[in-house]
Amino acid sequence: MTDADARTPLSQLLAGMTCDDDVCRVHVPDDWLQGRAIYGGLTAALCLQSIYEQHGRDLPPLRSALLSFIGPAGPDVALRPVVVRQGKSTAFITVDMLSDDKIAARATFCFGKARDSKVAQADLPAPQVADPDACESFFERAGGTAPNFTQHFEGRFAGGSMPVSGSDNPEYVIWLRHRDAEIDPVVVGLAALADALPPAAMASFSELAPISTMTWMFDVLDDDPRTENGWWLSQSVAEHSADGYSSQAMRVWNHAGQPIVVGRQNVAIFH
């Protein structure tokens, strides 16, 4: 059996989610874990998928998400989505992820219909980098610093620094795409992909050390995110690190350079 044969595609993992009354359940195989736990991007994707399973896909487009990672999760988790408020144009839905009957994560998602507006402004230019085919493999170059789940992604190093390189420039600019092209809806796969990179503070590490995301918020800037050939350009920058915590900014553009996701993370560092 090859490594590819042993992988569980994300579309298959999502299809294995079962729902009974107000609770959805899913088993996460080892190839999707970060150590013994689920990583933040997959947590977001599973929470979002549970909403679509329970409430259908007639919701307005996803506009924003806020996640708190309270404890380790997996491999078996339960998800409980609750509609907090739903009006004509917006819906707020929370999801609690439970592992061993303990809360592991809490997420709040905001969905909103597009509306006519006189305001249109954008100042999020994509970094000027080479196309993915001209860039070397990021995860292969990262070697032992790449968590197990990264086998489900292709990554191409486009700029910035590498993890655990002792860099004074804690920034990654990486092309990313899923190896699984069957993920639907796209926004669920995008949630998993947007957090696939290690925290940017790790670029400043001189040796491997534990690190853990505490909170993550992100906004989706497009009603129907799409890209060419599956490639998304991801940038993570550690803007401030002190007292065992790092605050990082995160952005994702599609292959055409259109901004799709902006976010922030608070990360606990033990180095």
Side-chain angles (χ1 to χ4, degrees), residues 19-236:
C19 297
D20 182 20
D21 295 328
D22 62 343
V23 177
C24 295
R25 301 181 188 279
V26 66
H27 172 77
V28 178
D30 289 348
D31 53 302
W32 273 104
L33 297 180
Q34 176 178 249
R36 295 176 295 173
I38 301 171
Y39 79 101
L42 185 58
T43 296
L46 293 176
C47 287
L48 188 55
Q49 183 70 18
S50 75
I51 291 175
Y52 291 130
E53 293 288 337
Q54 289 281 31
H55 302 288
R57 298 192 185 179
D58 292 332
L59 289 163
L62 178 65
R63 298 292 174 183
S64 188
L66 173 62
L67 294 104
S68 298
F69 304 103
I70 300 166
D76 294 291
V77 294
L79 303 117
R80 184 175 291 117
V82 175
V83 178
V84 179
R85 186 179 187 277
Q86 185 165 8
K88 294 181 179 180
S89 61
T90 61
F92 284 85
I93 303 177
T94 63
V95 182
D96 281 350
M97 175 181 279
L98 305 177
S99 182
D100 294 328
D101 296 324
K102 297 178 181 177
I103 187 164
R106 175 164 290 169
T108 301
F109 296 92
C110 173
F111 301 83
K113 291 182 180 178
R115 61 173 62 89
D116 292 335
S117 174
K118 295 179 181 179
V119 178
Q121 180 268 337
D123 187 20
L124 294 167
Q128 298 300 301
V129 297
D131 264 7
D133 290 345
C135 301
E136 63 180 317
S137 172
F138 173 72
F139 293 120
E140 288 183 11
R141 182 175 169 185
T145 67
N148 196 35
F149 70 83
T150 59
Q151 65 185 288
H152 292 280
F153 299 94
E154 292 183 75
R156 303 292 173 84
F157 182 80
S161 303
M162 290 296 297
V164 197
S165 60
S167 175
D168 293 329
N169 176 34
E171 174 189 12
Y172 310 128
V173 183
I174 312 295
W175 287 107
L176 290 171
R177 72 176 173 185
H178 284 275
R179 295 186 183 277
D180 178 8
E182 305 301 320
I183 305 163
D184 181 46
V186 171
V187 70
V188 173
L190 191 55
L193 177 142
D195 189 40
L197 297 178
M202 282 190 69
S204 299
F205 286 14
S206 55
E207 58 188 7
L208 276 175
I211 196 162
S212 178
T213 302
M214 309 295 285
T215 61
W216 180 30
M217 69 80 55
F218 63 88
D219 298 330
V220 183
L221 308 181
D222 193 285
D223 285 8
D224 185 25
R226 301 286 170 180
T227 195
E228 182 182 346
N229 296 326
W231 287 111
W232 307 87
L233 185 62
S234 180
Q235 179 190 50
S236 296

